[in-house]
Structure formats: structure tokens, C-alpha cells
Amino acid sequence: MGQTTAIIDRLKKALKENGKTYQDVAQHLRLSEASVKRLFSEKQFSLRRLDQVCEMLGIEISDLLREMHTISHISQLTVEQEQLLVSDAKLLLAAISVLNRWSFDEILAVYDYSYTELIGCMARLDAIRLIELLPGNRTKALVTYDFKWIKNGPIQRFFEGEVQREFLNCRFDQPGEIRLFVTGMLSRNANELIQQKLKRLIQDFRHYHQEDLTLPLPERHGTSMVVAMRPWELEVFGRYRRDESKKVFR
């Protein structure tokens, strides 16, 4: 699945580079635009259809494969690389911005960097191969579709210690905001089923994030979502449990 995702992502990039849209693909394949969007989102291209889209672009499937392997993409940083990012707030900010497809000029216009300072940050990100710094201060993120921070690593701990507190300090009553809290009694099987649904929700979030990266910056807004679930009982209630029933299943 990883190779398929990489090929389709490269095909989408080739469409953008050639000024082609899903509607153009739909007309070429004689399908509806909705069907084409579904093909891309579900990565369900047959070899024949993939070849047809390449034909429309004037390229070969081998061209996609060649470009995929020109520069290796990473799915995770090392602990040392993550530690480097969290040790310098401006470097971390530059990294997050580039991963979210901000241009050099957009970062410079919005955040308090000098030109030289931002170039230095980009060079450091290039050195750890998180990005490729291109001519004209253009940047290219060198991460896979499923890139993630190390579980319980420096970045995740940073977000838990700094961001989570700020994130939850909100009434969640404005447009675009929502907070839900439910509690109940679930079997192990039901717990596992809910977790599977939550994982699919995260996949949907990542999918829409990738889709919207092609939109202009003013049409995109930094959006965060916290999803958590565990067997739990409020401590004040737990105090009243009899000794033999203290343990909640793990």
C-alpha cells in the first residue's frame, strides 16, 4: 500500500505541475468527477487507468517511479532530529510551516524572522533531510503521506506539555470548534471496535489535510484534534470501591 500511495501522490503532483484538474482527468477517462476523486482518495487505480492518465500528461508510468526514487522520503525522524527541533522554537515553527505547504515568503510575511534567519532554518531542515531547499527559496517536504512523530518522543512530549494545555483552555463554542465527552460501560470487544473507528477518523483527517494542501494559504486554517480513550474511573469515585474491586481492566 505504501508504494501505491507514493505513486498516486506523485501522479497528483504531476497533474498540478501540468495545470490539470480532476475534471480534466474525468473527461479523459469518461468518468464523473466524483468517481475520479474517489479513485484518488481510495488509491484504487487499475494499471490501465493509471497508464491513461499518464498518457494524458505525456509521461510514462516509469517516469513516476523514477521521480519517486530520486529523493528518498521519510516516515519518521530520529530522536536526535526531533530533539533538535524542540530545542529551537523558530526552527520547529519553520518545520511545521513547510510541512503544511507554507511558502518561504508566506512564513516571512506572517512570522518574525529576518530573511537570513529563515534561510538558516531552511538550511538546517535541509541538512536533516526533512525538506529539500530549492532555488528561489522554494521548499519541498521530504516526508511520506503517513509521516508521524515518534510515539512518546520529543515532539509528542512537547505538544503534551505545552500545546495540550493551551488547546484545552477554550470554551469550544465558536464556529469550527467542538468538544465532546462521553462515558459509559463497554466490553473489551466494544472498546476495540470504537478504537478502530477512531483510527479511521484520524486517517480521514490526514486525507483531507493532504487534499487541502493544494489550496491557497488564506483558504486553509490550522486545525487540531485530540482523540483519547481509555478505561477510566473518576478518582473521587474510585475512593469508594471495595478493595476486591479496585482494579479496572487494562
Side-chain angles (χ1 to χ4, degrees), residues 21-237:
T21 65
Y22 286 156
Q23 186 176 9
D24 294 320
V25 177
Q27 290 175 350
H28 188 76
L29 298 180
R30 297 182 180 180
L31 297 171
S32 68
E33 187 174 353
S35 295
V36 169
K37 288 182 177 179
R38 187 161 54 250
L39 285 175
F40 275 95
S41 66
E42 296 178 357
K43 317 288 194 254
Q44 293 296 324
F45 272 85
S46 66
L47 191 59
R48 177 172 171 273
R49 279 185 171 158
L50 182 61
D51 189 51
Q52 287 176 322
V53 179
C54 286
E55 179 186 39
M56 182 187 80
L57 296 172
I59 62 176
E60 302 287 341
I61 295 176
S62 59
D63 295 325
L64 295 178
L65 296 172
R66 191 178 304 111
E67 292 193 32
M68 278 171 49
H69 293 97
T70 299
I71 298 175
S72 60
H73 287 57
I74 58 174
S75 59
Q76 202 165 61
L77 294 176
T78 65
V79 172
E80 292 74 20
Q81 289 169 333
E82 284 200 3
Q83 189 59 55
L84 174 67
L85 294 181
V86 298
S87 68
D88 185 332
K90 279 196 164 181
L91 183 63
L92 177 59
L93 173 59
I96 297 296
S97 299
V98 171
L99 292 180
N100 284 323
R101 300 275 182 90
W102 287 49
S103 71
F104 183 93
D105 290 339
E106 287 169 337
I107 299 172
L108 200 59
V110 173
Y111 293 111
D112 185 23
Y113 292 92
S114 69
Y115 179 90
T116 303
E117 184 181 21
L118 187 53
I119 283 289
C121 286
M122 296 303 177
R124 293 171 71 188
L125 296 176
D126 181 279
I128 65 174
R129 307 311 295 153
L130 183 66
I131 71 166
E132 181 183 12
L133 184 55
L134 302 168
N137 296 333
R138 293 179 298 112
T139 57
K140 177 182 179 181
L142 300 180
V143 298
T144 59
Y145 175 82
D146 58 349
F147 175 83
K148 58 176 70 70
W149 304 115
I150 298 171
K151 186 175 182 180
N152 299 320
I155 296 288
Q156 201 171 84
R157 290 197 299 271
F158 169 80
F159 276 90
E160 288 175 353
E162 299 293 330
V163 181
Q164 202 165 280
R165 174 180 52 81
E166 294 182 21
F167 178 76
L168 294 174
N169 186 27
C170 173
R171 295 179 63 89
F172 291 91
D173 58 0
Q174 298 301 308
E177 298 177 350
I178 185 171
R179 176 172 56 198
L180 303 172
F181 178 76
V182 294
T183 185
M185 304 289 286
L186 296 180
S187 66
R188 290 177 184 272
N189 183 60
N191 182 292
E192 179 60 32
L193 290 173
I194 294 295
Q195 288 194 41
Q196 290 175 12
K197 291 179 183 291
L198 293 177
K199 289 174 182 176
R200 287 196 290 271
L201 176 62
I202 296 299
Q203 290 175 348
D204 287 343
F205 187 100
R206 287 176 176 161
H207 166 71
Y208 289 120
H209 163 72
Q210 290 292 327
E211 286 287 304
D212 289 352
L213 286 177
T214 60
L215 297 174
L217 184 60
E219 296 182 27
R220 296 183 284 132
H221 312 281
T223 304
S224 296
M225 179 173 70
V226 175
V227 178
M229 178 178 176
R230 71 182 178 100
W232 176 74
E233 181 179 57
L234 196 62
E235 183 181 354
V236 68
F237 296 162

